[in-house]
Amino acid sequence: MSRSNPRVLSTLERAGGFASAQEVYKLMQREGEKIGLTTVYRSLQSLLSDRIVDVLRRDDGEAIYRLCGSTHHHHLVCKGCGDTVEIEGGAIEKWARTMAEEFGYRDVGHTAEIFGLCPKC
Amino acid sequence: MSRSNPRVLSTLERAGGFASAQEVYKLMQREGEKIGLTTVYRSLQSLLSDRIVDVLRRDDGEAIYRLCGSTHHHHLVCKGCGDTVEIEGGAIEKWARTMAEEFGYRDVGHTAEIFGLCPKC
DNA sequence: CGCAAAATTGATAATGATTATCATTATCAG
DNA sequence: CTGATAATGATAATCATTATCAATTTTGCG
């Protein structure tokens, strides 16, 4: 059997929003934690199957994880300088729920990002 | 510059639903087409940026492509069987525009997907 | 305690998709 | 034809993820 290493969960919490396995690993390294990459992957898998975290995919295919149930936000990202604003997504939540219901889907999550040019760019 | 090889598009059409680059390549090989894997990838990228196909991710992260209608839409994707429904996203368009305006962003686009378990899964 | 079985860990190698290189080939205007 | 430009594809490089397996830690029990 294999259980999740609690330090992985705690790091993911501290990371705020989404983080990939690689990012969690690097973050832990930077903070002086001694842990192997393998264990990070294993722990995230385990947290996933326990429904403690959710997984999404970045555009490049890298898997990113976040705590389930914690309120989440979306991002407004500048294509020019990469600056990011966290924004509220109430309308999206509702849209996702409505659409899922309409087609009989259960256990739904969603992704949504907006990108454009910020005032400075 | 680089344009899309028409045989790639035609193969993707013939494949029916979604197909990954690797699958399109293998399919073309099996049918005796002489084409390189690189060209398949390039063509799919090109079709993607021309909005002729759209891309999703399988659970394992592999990119899958499919012809898409010209109208802008979003997807409701089943995590179990991969089944996909195209849905209307008027609410999202509005949300994106509102948020962008609030923070002074211009030239905005967005991504949004919903995923869950379909009635059959 | 002492000790063996089971679980956990992590370095390393393997896998597999995707992307970068770069030399070759096809196309096309003048 | 001829040179320029674009397209192609074999090959190597990259990068996340997964498999291996030996070493270490934990656990249960006499």
Side-chain angles (χ1 to χ4, degrees), chain A residues 1 4 27 30 36 45 66-67 80 92 102 105 113 119:
Chain A
M1 301 281 114
S4 151
L27 195 51
R30 246 180 267 126
Q45 282 303 336
R66 83 170 169 195
L67 294 180
I92 302 302
E102 179 172 335
Y105 276 56
E113 309 286 349

Side-chain angles (χ1 to χ4, degrees), chain A residues 1-65:
Chain A
M1 301 281 114
S2 161
R3 267 205 298 289
S4 151
N5 183 317
R7 291 176 296 152
V8 170
L9 178 54
S10 131
T11 303
L12 189 57
E13 274 170 0
R14 206 152 358 89
F18 289 103
S20 69
Q22 300 281 347
E23 285 166 355
V24 168
Y25 175 66
K26 283 186 204 120
L27 195 51
M28 294 180 79
Q29 296 254 297
R30 246 180 267 126
E31 294 177 354
E33 300 256 26
K34 275 213 283 287
I35 196 167
L37 181 58
T38 311
T39 302
V40 173
Y41 272 101
R42 253 193 303 244
S43 293
L44 289 171
Q45 282 303 336
S46 168
L47 289 168
L48 187 62
S49 66
D50 291 347
R51 310 280 174 128
I52 295 174
V53 304
D54 250 354
V55 64
L56 293 180
R57 295 272 167 189
R58 284 219 183 96
D59 275 357
D60 67 354
E62 190 173 0
I64 51 182
Y65 302 84

